[in-house]
Amino acid sequence: MGGDHAPSAVVEGSARALARSSDSLSIVLTGDEEAIRRELGRIGFSSPRLVIHPTTQIVQMTDRPSQVVATKPDSSLVAGIRLVKEGIADGFVSAGSTGAVLAASLMLLERIPGVKRPALGAYIPARPSGVMLCDVGANIDVKPDYLLQFAIMASEYMRRVYHVAEPRIGLLNVGSESTKGQKVYVETHELFAKYLPTFAGNIEARYVLDGKVDVVVCDGFVGNNLLKFAEGFVVHLAARIAEGVKRFGDFDPASQKMTSLLRNVMREFDYEEYGGVPLLGVNGVCMVSHGSSGPRAMENSILAAFEAVQSNLVPSIREDITASVRAVEEAT
Amino acid sequence: MGGDHAPSAVVEGSARALARSSDSLSIVLTGDEEAIRRELGRIGFSSPRLVIHPTTQIVQMTDRPSQVVATKPDSSLVAGIRLVKEGIADGFVSAGSTGAVLAASLMLLERIPGVKRPALGAYIPARPSGVMLCDVGANIDVKPDYLLQFAIMASEYMRRVYHVAEPRIGLLNVGSESTKGQKVYVETHELFAKYLPTFAGNIEARYVLDGKVDVVVCDGFVGNNLLKFAEGFVVHLAARIAEGVKRFGDFDPASQKMTSLLRNVMREFDYEEYGGVPLLGVNGVCMVSHGSSGPRAMENSILAAFEAVQSNLVPSIREDITASVRAVEEAT
């Protein structure tokens, strides 16, 4: 029931994901049963792999995130996370309030042992190869050891879900020298150099999309601003180009060609394509989709969550974090 | 002698600026006299309003910024700033090392009385109206009172150089609520609300280009990352689109139309269009251009510096800062 287009985008996205995936994917939809059935009727979809878990409450954007587990226990959001906690579901996907998903996941799924702070990683499907930016908003204030774990968790995500064998890690910074940036970044550079064999050094924001690294680590304040700026940028740019193409006239073949070209290019930067951002570091797969997600974004979020489950993302992160905690202890 | 295309871009940009401006603009080119004369010959330009001030040294990117005043006193960079200090020139424009321009300006021109930290403001010429992002890299670590001054100085720049009567000010943040963001941002929000009548509240990065505010204030770490990310983004996007257009074939009228449309749209985000970023808060107009600036970027930097001089930017900032310091003192 979360997101601007609930429940239709969620229901239609689920149907699409089921159609595109193997038999091993099943989906439990938590929410208003009648509304869900209506949507299923509208798109003419039914499947034994789609189950409804009826709930009665809805988390609103005005609800305080830290309160929803207590005040909205029978919301689609809290009930869904609880299904993961109880082992009935393997992963959770939501287009609802990011803050509420974060708070409820932390409370119900809890942190993976050793994880200091869970983080949100945004996958940007830019060519030549996609890149994960982490953190993009879960942690406004960070410490070097948090950032070290963000690097480890995001790398594991790239390895599992995008099959990058040895993800190269960059530390977002204003220059390549190890002495650049805020104090926490200088200390983090040192830590990364010591503990991350695939650390490729600082990376300036202008090279983030160039495919030089697979993971870019930063604090959630910078990461969130970067991601949102890019989002605004794409909207802005697309509007300007569309405006110009429109002036060509509808029947100009140039208009048609360009519209389709632009659609393809913009797709690289469109959250619809990648769908959700994983919350890394909790005991369960948890995917937060953009509030304005349409069916395609929901489909992609669900499939990414499915891939994360199938590839053992959470157990792998658990092992990595344990190993990292041990390595740091041994060195100090 | 600074920048990737020195001295040709600087010489040609100067010639263009002189051709486009009124008689009241004169330019002193500091640098290797022979090289400058060669460039002037190449473009066939001469004017009594263009004077050469010969220098023998060149600041390299490897020179330590804090040392250049001492080690490269006869460089084009240091000599140029000295001309401003001595009152021979009214403003300085350079495509050389940003760090060196910053350090030398601070040392030679010194801060305007009351200014805690000079800042770099980047003007982004996005529609519906341009916006200035400040700071974009001079101050990696900030305090609320620095940010208050960045807001004041950037507003004055928008007022003087872009004729915005009452610049609206936004504080870059991850949400609109006053409690959002790193501690320094929460405190800054309070300070802005108290002392800036045109403060429009926090602004999320996705709305920076929407024309809601004329000035966006942030720390230099975030600002620098944002600006560079946008830069990389434009390059990336333009390359993808050009690639697609190329596949249409050169003789397709769609290619030609689109190439010109794209050129127009990209111009909005192209630093070539706005040229340089002003260093605000020193006793003199000082404009830092992108290292890869071509003639057009240099021309625009020079014209912006000229506008800043003619519109009394520095005296206005001096007054504003004095008034602000007094207001803060009276309130505490």
Side-chain angles (χ1 to χ4, degrees):
Chain A
M1 309 306 288
D4 307 341
H5 309 292
S8 71
V10 181
V11 173
E12 198 178 329
S14 300
R16 288 192 193 195
L18 287 170
R20 251 181 70 189
S21 66
S22 70
D23 277 354
S24 45
L25 173 65
S26 297
I27 296 177
V28 184
L29 289 173
T30 57
D32 179 331
E33 184 166 8
E34 203 187 332
I36 295 171
R37 290 212 183 280
R38 204 181 311 127
E39 286 302 323
L40 285 169
R42 186 180 61 80
I43 60 170
F45 184 86
S46 78
S47 163
R49 297 193 279 130
L50 189 77
V51 180
I52 300 173
H53 175 99
T55 58
T56 56
Q57 294 176 303
I58 298 176
V59 172
Q60 307 290 354
M61 294 307 287
T62 47
D63 285 322
R64 285 190 58 189
S66 57
Q67 306 293 319
V68 295
V69 170
T71 59
K72 300 273 175 89
D74 198 38
S75 59
S76 53
L77 192 156
V78 174
I81 295 171
R82 205 176 289 280
L83 289 178
V84 177
K85 180 187 169 71
E86 290 163 356
I88 295 164
D90 293 306
F92 174 70
V93 177
S94 171
S97 150
T98 304
V101 174
L102 242 78
S105 297
L106 262 164
M107 210 169 292
L108 297 174
L109 303 178
E110 299 178 33
R111 294 180 212 168
I112 289 172
V115 167
K116 292 176 194 285
R117 293 285 186 282
L120 289 165
Y123 177 75
I124 306 171
R127 275 194 292 163
S129 60
V131 61
M132 172 157 274
L133 192 64
C134 183
D135 178 39
V136 294
N139 302 275
I140 296 304
D141 295 296
V142 297
K143 295 180 179 174
D145 53 351
Y146 301 178
L147 291 169
L148 179 66
Q149 294 193 338
F150 299 172
I152 291 168
M153 298 190 295
S155 295
E156 200 57 81
Y157 190 86
M158 289 301 285
R159 204 176 287 126
R160 298 289 152 189
V161 177
Y162 290 98
H163 313 294
V164 179
E166 294 195 34
R168 294 152 303 168
I169 297 160
L171 178 64
L172 188 73
N173 213 320
V174 293
S176 54
E177 306 86 335
S178 63
T179 53
K180 285 278 180 178
Q182 291 164 332
K183 189 163 168 277
V184 63
Y185 280 79
V186 176
E187 291 172 14
T188 301
H189 189 285
E190 208 175 311
L191 208 61
F192 279 20
K194 194 167 173 186
Y195 292 108
L196 299 174
T198 62
F199 179 45
N202 287 343
I203 183 161
E204 288 187 64
R206 89 181 73 173
Y207 306 118
V208 162
L209 301 176
D210 287 0
K212 288 184 163 77
V213 295
D214 306 292
V215 168
V216 173
V217 178
C218 59
D219 66 77
F221 189 74
V222 173
N224 192 273
N225 275 307
L226 230 60
L227 200 68
K228 284 182 181 164
F229 190 64
E231 205 182 304
F233 210 87
V234 169
V235 170
H236 205 84
L237 214 61
R240 288 282 168 281
I241 296 175
E243 213 174 80
V245 167
K246 207 169 176 186
R247 250 180 270 122
F248 293 170
D250 285 345
F251 299 107
D252 187 329
S255 297
Q256 289 154 30
K257 275 187 166 171
M258 274 313 303
T259 307
S260 98
L261 167 59
L262 281 178
R263 200 173 292 134
N264 282 329
V265 171
M266 292 304 180
R267 198 166 283 175
E268 267 190 57
F269 305 99
D270 186 356
Y271 63 86
E272 285 271 350
E273 276 307 306
Y274 46 101
V277 300
L279 175 63
L280 302 166
V282 292
N283 289 297
V285 167
C286 182
M287 197 68 77
V288 189
S289 297
H290 200 289
S292 59
S293 291
R296 192 156 53 91
M298 293 313 301
E299 170 192 350
N300 285 323
S301 280
I302 294 165
L303 292 174
F306 182 45
E307 185 64 35
V309 169
Q310 288 209 306
S311 64
N312 289 315
L313 174 69
V314 173
S316 304
I317 290 179
R318 200 174 283 132
E319 276 175 37
D320 293 344
I321 291 292
T322 306
S324 166
V325 168
R326 193 173 307 132
V328 172
E329 276 171 7
E330 278 168 10
T332 51
Chain B
M1 308 305 291
D4 306 344
H5 310 291
S8 71
V10 181
V11 173
E12 199 177 328
S14 300
R16 288 192 194 196
L18 287 171
R20 252 183 68 191
S21 66
S22 70
D23 278 356
S24 45
L25 172 65
S26 297
I27 296 177
V28 183
L29 289 171
T30 58
D32 180 329
E33 185 167 7
E34 204 186 333
I36 294 171
R37 290 210 182 280
R38 205 182 308 127
E39 286 303 323
L40 285 169
R42 184 180 62 78
I43 60 171
F45 185 86
S46 79
S47 162
R49 295 193 280 131
L50 189 78
V51 179
I52 301 173
H53 176 100
T55 59
T56 55
Q57 294 177 305
I58 298 175
V59 171
Q60 307 289 354
M61 293 307 286
T62 47
D63 284 322
R64 287 189 57 189
S66 57
Q67 306 293 318
V68 295
V69 170
T71 60
K72 300 272 175 90
D74 197 39
S75 58
S76 52
L77 193 156
V78 174
I81 295 171
R82 204 176 288 278
L83 290 177
V84 177
K85 180 188 170 67
E86 291 164 355
I88 295 165
D90 294 305
F92 174 71
V93 177
S94 172
S97 151
T98 304
V101 173
L102 243 78
S105 297
L106 263 164
M107 209 169 292
L108 296 174
L109 303 178
E110 300 178 33
R111 294 180 212 168
I112 288 171
V115 166
K116 292 176 193 286
R117 294 285 186 281
L120 289 166
Y123 176 75
I124 307 172
R127 276 196 288 163
S129 60
V131 60
M132 172 157 275
L133 191 65
C134 182
D135 177 39
V136 295
N139 302 277
I140 296 305
D141 295 296
V142 296
K143 294 181 179 175
D145 52 350
Y146 301 179
L147 291 169
L148 179 66
Q149 295 194 336
F150 299 172
I152 291 168
M153 297 190 295
S155 295
E156 202 54 82
Y157 190 86
M158 290 302 285
R159 205 174 288 126
R160 298 290 152 188
V161 177
Y162 290 98
H163 314 294
V164 180
E166 293 196 34
R168 294 153 302 168
I169 298 161
L171 178 64
L172 188 74
N173 213 321
V174 294
S176 54
E177 305 87 335
S178 63
T179 53
K180 287 275 180 178
Q182 292 164 332
K183 190 163 167 278
V184 62
Y185 280 80
V186 176
E187 291 172 13
T188 301
H189 189 284
E190 208 174 312
L191 207 62
F192 278 21
K194 195 166 173 189
Y195 293 109
L196 299 175
T198 62
F199 179 44
N202 287 342
I203 183 161
E204 289 189 63
R206 91 180 71 173
Y207 305 118
V208 163
L209 302 177
D210 287 1
K212 288 184 165 71
V213 294
D214 306 293
V215 168
V216 173
V217 179
C218 60
D219 68 77
F221 189 74
V222 172
N224 193 272
N225 276 307
L226 230 61
L227 200 69
K228 284 182 181 164
F229 191 64
E231 203 181 306
F233 211 87
V234 169
V235 169
H236 206 83
L237 215 61
R240 289 282 168 281
I241 296 175
E243 214 172 77
V245 168
K246 206 168 175 183
R247 250 179 269 123
F248 292 169
D250 286 344
F251 299 106
D252 187 329
S255 298
Q256 289 155 28
K257 276 187 169 172
M258 275 313 303
T259 306
S260 99
L261 167 60
L262 282 178
R263 199 172 294 135
N264 282 328
V265 171
M266 292 306 180
R267 198 166 283 172
E268 268 190 56
F269 305 101
D270 185 357
Y271 63 86
E272 284 272 351
E273 276 307 306
Y274 44 101
V277 300
L279 175 63
L280 302 166
V282 292
N283 289 298
V285 167
C286 181
M287 197 67 78
V288 190
S289 298
H290 200 288
S292 60
S293 290
R296 192 156 52 91
M298 293 313 301
E299 171 193 349
N300 285 323
S301 281
I302 293 165
L303 292 175
F306 182 46
E307 186 62 34
V309 170
Q310 287 209 307
S311 64
N312 289 315
L313 175 69
V314 174
S316 304
I317 290 180
R318 199 174 286 133
E319 276 175 38
D320 294 343
I321 291 293
T322 304
S324 166
V325 168
R326 193 172 307 135
V328 172
E329 276 172 4
E330 279 168 12
T332 54

